[in-house]
Amino acid sequence: MAAGGSGCAGTQSAEKVLQDGIRVTAPAPNPNLSPVCGIDVMLVLDKSGSIASSGATETVRDAARAFLTALSGTGSAVSIVDFSTSAAQPVPYTTVTDSAIANVFDPYLRNGYKPS
């Protein structure tokens, strides 16, 4: 039954059944995938003033570090792209290891990621 107006407050109308209005096809089964290690991920960070003005800069840095830590040692590579009025790729694809986090990613997060 349909009701008029926003918020469903109105008079009900007669039910209208649409024959074959929606057709749902059963999804195909997922294919078997061979197990592999490592994925390439582009981490996109908002570097605009709204991040700074909302006090979220450290939250973004901490989230990026947690994300990188979770991928460390998996064979995955991460590139960081940041954007504000324009976009840049300050960190090219780099295999995520504890050493790369300490020597590549964290220096960018500490010194290069400065929302404004």
Side-chain angles (χ1 to χ4, degrees):
M1 304 286 245
S6 61
C8 297
T11 58
Q12 291 186 342
S13 62
E15 181 176 348
K16 178 70 175 164
V17 177
L18 300 174
Q19 296 297 327
D20 296 319
I22 298 177
R23 293 179 193 213
V24 178
T25 305
N30 288 330
N32 291 325
L33 301 174
S34 53
V36 295
C37 291
I39 58 174
D40 290 344
V41 178
M42 183 170 286
L43 183 58
V44 180
L45 302 179
D46 183 348
K47 198 173 172 180
S48 68
S50 62
I51 297 296
S53 65
S54 67
T57 302
E58 282 307 312
T59 301
V60 172
R61 287 179 175 137
D62 291 345
R65 287 182 186 108
F67 181 79
L68 293 163
T69 299
L71 289 177
S72 182
T74 66
S76 296
V78 171
S79 170
I80 296 180
V81 169
D82 59 32
F83 71 94
S84 182
T85 55
S86 62
Q89 185 183 17
V91 180
Y93 279 101
T94 304
T95 301
V96 184
T97 62
D98 290 343
S99 176
I101 291 171
N103 298 306
V104 177
F105 296 106
D106 203 49
Y108 163 74
L109 291 170
R110 264 194 326 268
N111 303 314
Y113 179 71
K114 295 181 180 176
S116 61

